[in-house]
Amino acid sequence: MTESMKPARVQPVPGWYVDPLDAGVMRYWDGTGWTAHARPVETEPEPAPAQRHRLGLAAVLGVLASTLLLGIALVTIAAIAQTDRMNDPEQNDPGSLASPSAQAATEGARDGAKALASRARIDLDALGVTIVAALVEDPEAAVEVAEVAGDYLVLTDGTPYATIPASEGVELGGYVAGGADAFCVWVSTPASGRTAHWSPLDVPGPAGFVNRSGDCAAVTG
């Protein structure tokens, strides 16, 4: 079958699904990517219309939630929601006295940096889970990631697999190919000059945090 004859993959409709990163959490899929909205799995989600008999990425993600998290190094990703180290901007010199206006400006900049870091983390979650899904669905496929017209585009063997909207102020940094347990993708926030990566190769520190600051060089060399 030629590239042009490959059937288009069906994106799952918006709805609540088991979070592939934490089997105890339900996360909302907006039709193109994961959002920051989550709730405990104890809350019974209402099935979305026409969802019961549709197969596609949702089915793959369901398999990931129940199988991959018990096997490959992705079990370490459960701590991703706690990774706020990249969110903390540099603190002011405690010995200096700032005017109310200067203090307000500093607090605004700090809040802006945290908002950028939060959006970057959401983008990385969506990218990482989608790349894993593509590799699990076809382990032999060559997966690529690009940014086109403000969207992240995940391709398998040159064919579009999924499109994920890029958050405001967040840009694709790069992608290092590998298997479902060895790739790395990273994004940058030019306004804050920060970068953050997502890789199943990451190992939690002593406190259980996964440090995802910096680009892929930290985990791929």
Side-chain angles (χ1 to χ4, degrees):
M1 181 180 293
T2 64
E3 297 290 329
S4 61
M5 294 176 63
K6 286 187 176 181
R9 293 178 172 84
V10 178
Q11 291 283 11
V13 299
W16 291 93
Y17 299 95
V18 174
D19 190 339
L21 309 179
D22 188 347
V25 172
M26 300 295 292
R27 188 170 294 278
Y28 192 80
W29 175 268
D30 64 7
T32 57
W34 295 106
T35 69
H37 303 294
R39 65 188 185 189
V41 77
E42 289 79 7
T43 302
E44 184 81 14
E46 295 182 5
Q51 178 64 22
R52 297 177 179 175
H53 303 292
R54 295 188 65 181
L55 297 178
L57 183 57
V60 176
L61 295 180
V63 173
L64 288 177
S66 60
T67 57
L68 283 185
L69 293 179
L70 299 177
I72 61 177
L74 292 180
V75 293
T76 63
I77 302 171
I80 191 171
Q82 303 174 13
T83 310
D84 292 326
R85 299 296 177 83
M86 63 173 287
N87 295 353
D88 298 325
E90 295 181 358
Q91 301 296 317
N92 293 329
D93 181 0
S96 64
L97 296 177
S99 66
S101 60
Q103 183 176 0
T106 300
E107 291 176 353
R110 183 182 297 116
D111 291 342
K114 288 184 177 180
L116 276 175
S118 179
R119 292 198 292 268
R121 188 169 62 250
I122 291 172
D123 284 14
L124 282 172
D125 287 352
L127 278 167
V129 170
T130 301
I131 293 169
V132 171
L135 289 168
V136 170
E137 185 173 321
D138 186 355
E140 302 301 322
V143 174
E144 301 173 84
V145 183
E147 185 172 353
V148 180
D151 292 332
Y152 306 114
L153 182 62
V154 178
L155 306 99
T156 56
D157 293 330
T159 301
Y161 178 83
T163 300
I164 304 169
S167 296
E168 181 180 358
V170 185
E171 299 178 356
L172 178 67
Y175 171 70
V176 178
D181 58 352
F183 69 87
C184 182
V185 62
W186 60 284
V187 299
S188 64
T189 52
S192 65
R194 293 174 179 270
T195 58
H197 70 275
W198 195 105
S199 174
L201 293 171
D202 285 317
V203 177
F209 292 103
V210 177
N211 183 7
R212 297 192 181 279
S213 61
D215 59 25
C216 291
V219 294
T220 64

